């Protein structure tokens, strides 16, 4: 966690609202760690929001909402801790806000997501460099091996040559990483642990008639890490049954 956070700070100079799910002891440890980190101590625009551990589930959407409620900029880019944004993404998003008239329209700007299975990746400094790593097989489109549906509507084939933002249509199971206005809908906190936590949010944006616009020169990369404890839900039959029921209930609500 702490290493990813330092790396994110090196890639993203803008403000960060970060929600952490920690026990009391972990919170103390985290505090000591940040105080000993030059990178983190030199930043005055990172807000840490701790949700204390309780119960056996991982309330991922509650955490996201806590982080969102603390945002005090007019726009927010919704990301996860295991992604590294490209260098300069913060400035690029700021320019896109103006260019795409975000203030007067309901848009979700999609930042295409990629992944690497290598712990030591030379991070691509440009789109051209990213594309060559993609062709060499050191990078893949995100979840390429396990869940292509999640990012298929981003249309990576089109993105390769795109030079201007393009609109894409929502499809079932779409779960891109997006920048939206601060007044956008929150995440549904009934989804805990694994499955559908982001899909439901994107579905809600679509139901509220947000336009999904893919940015031609933006990207982020998922970095490998030790398995997180949500994997235990993935293999739990009972959990999957509950998730299916909740999905149906959510779709009816929408």
């Amino acid at each position: 966690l702490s290493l990813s956070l330092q790396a994110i700070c090196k890639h993203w100079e803008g403000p960060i609202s970060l929600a952490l799910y920690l026990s009391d002891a972990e919170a103390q440890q985290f505090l000591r760690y940040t105080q000993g980190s030059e990178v983190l101590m030199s930043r005055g625009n990172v807000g840490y929001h701790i949700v204390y551990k309780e119960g056996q589930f991982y309330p991922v959407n509650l955490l996201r909402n806590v982080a969102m409620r603390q945002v005090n900029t007019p726009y927010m880019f919704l990301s996860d801790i295991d992604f590294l944004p490209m260098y300069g993404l913060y400035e690029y998003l700021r320019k896109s806000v103006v260019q795409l008239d975000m203030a007067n329209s309901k848009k979700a700007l999609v930042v295409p997501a990629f992944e690497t299975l290598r712990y030591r990746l030379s991070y691509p400094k440009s789109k051209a460099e990213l594309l060559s790593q993609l062709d060499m097989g050191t990078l893949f489109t995100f979840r390429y091996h396990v869940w292509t549906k999640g990012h298929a509507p981003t249309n990576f084939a089109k993105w390769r040559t795109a030079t201007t933002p393009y609109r894409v249509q929502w499809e079932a199971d779409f779960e891109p990483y997006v920048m939206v206005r601060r007044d956008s809908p929150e995440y549904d906190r009934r989804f805990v642990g694994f499955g559908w936590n982001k899909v439901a949010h994107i579905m809600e944006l679509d139901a509220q008639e947000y336009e999904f616009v893919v940015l031609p020169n933006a990207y982020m990369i998922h970095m490998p890490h030790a398995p997180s404890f949500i994997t235990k839900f993935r293999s739990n039959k009972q959990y999957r049954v509950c998730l299916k029921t909740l999905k149906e209930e959510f779709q009816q609500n929408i």
Side-chain angles (χ1 to χ4, degrees):
L1 162 72
S2 316
L3 289 170
S4 351
L5 186 55
Q6 287 199 81
I8 289 168
C9 285
K10 288 176 186 166
H11 281 241
W12 176 274
E13 62 280 15
I16 297 172
S17 174
L18 177 74
L20 299 153
Y21 193 52
L22 303 172
S23 67
D24 224 333
E26 287 165 342
Q28 293 303 320
Q29 201 183 345
F30 180 74
L31 187 63
R32 278 197 300 276
Y33 178 84
T34 48
Q35 288 168 341
S37 157
E38 222 172 285
V39 177
L40 301 181
M41 287 309 283
S42 67
R43 292 290 286 262
N45 61 354
V46 180
Y48 303 102
H49 316 294
I50 294 174
V51 175
Y52 285 98
K53 281 186 179 172
E54 194 185 349
Q56 81 266 42
F57 294 111
Y58 178 55
V60 60
N61 281 354
L62 167 69
L63 292 173
R64 287 174 171 144
N65 291 344
V66 165
M68 278 165 75
R69 282 177 205 149
Q70 304 299 328
V71 165
N72 50 21
T73 52
Y75 303 93
M76 51 192 181
F77 171 50
L78 308 171
S79 184
D80 288 333
I81 195 84
D82 46 9
F83 272 91
L84 265 185
M86 70 174 200
Y87 293 105
L89 182 61
Y90 175 63
E91 272 312 313
Y92 179 52
L93 289 177
R94 284 174 61 119
K95 288 191 183 111
S96 303
V97 160
V98 182
Q99 187 194 350
L100 293 161
D101 191 28
M102 291 277 287
N104 304 305
S105 57
K106 279 172 130 181
K107 286 194 180 83
L109 306 190
V110 175
V111 173
F114 298 86
E115 69 178 347
T116 178
L117 306 173
R118 302 187 172 200
Y119 280 88
R120 302 198 66 75
L121 172 81
S122 110
Y123 198 96
K125 300 278 193 296
S126 64
K127 179 174 176 174
E129 207 176 299
L130 177 131
L131 291 174
S132 81
Q133 291 187 4
L134 204 56
D135 292 337
M136 288 188 315
T138 47
L139 278 185
F140 302 93
T141 55
F142 184 50
R143 290 285 174 83
Y144 170 80
H145 300 88
V146 289
W147 183 246
T148 39
K149 284 163 85 173
H151 294 266
T154 300
N155 194 344
F156 291 102
K158 180 168 183 168
W159 185 81
R160 289 185 74 104
T161 56
T163 51
T164 53
Y166 59 92
R167 189 177 175 181
V168 292
Q169 294 301 322
W170 175 86
E171 287 171 34
D173 299 321
F174 191 27
E175 50 173 8
Y177 288 90
V178 295
M179 178 174 75
V180 286
R181 292 199 314 234
R182 184 175 57 186
D183 62 3
S184 297
E186 288 196 334
Y187 288 81
D188 189 314
R189 48 181 289 190
R190 289 174 297 179
F191 292 97
V192 292
F194 168 76
W196 255 64
N197 46 69
K198 273 176 77 249
V199 170
H201 184 244
I202 295 296
M203 192 172 175
E204 189 155 340
L205 292 182
D206 178 65
Q208 293 202 19
E209 299 185 339
Y210 275 69
E211 251 180 76
F212 294 98
V213 178
V214 181
L215 297 170
N217 293 308
Y219 54 87
M220 61 198 293
I221 300 176
H222 179 263
M223 306 308 278
H225 54 83
S228 60
F229 70 98
I230 61 167
T231 43
K232 72 175 186 194
F233 297 121
R234 211 175 270 182
S235 52
N236 183 326
K237 269 210 183 76
Q238 196 181 356
Y239 181 84
R240 281 188 174 279
V241 172
C242 295
L243 182 62
K244 187 170 177 289
T245 311
L246 180 53
K247 266 158 69 166
E248 286 159 8
E249 190 181 302
F250 175 81
Q251 283 167 313
Q252 280 165 352
N253 295 162
I254 284 274

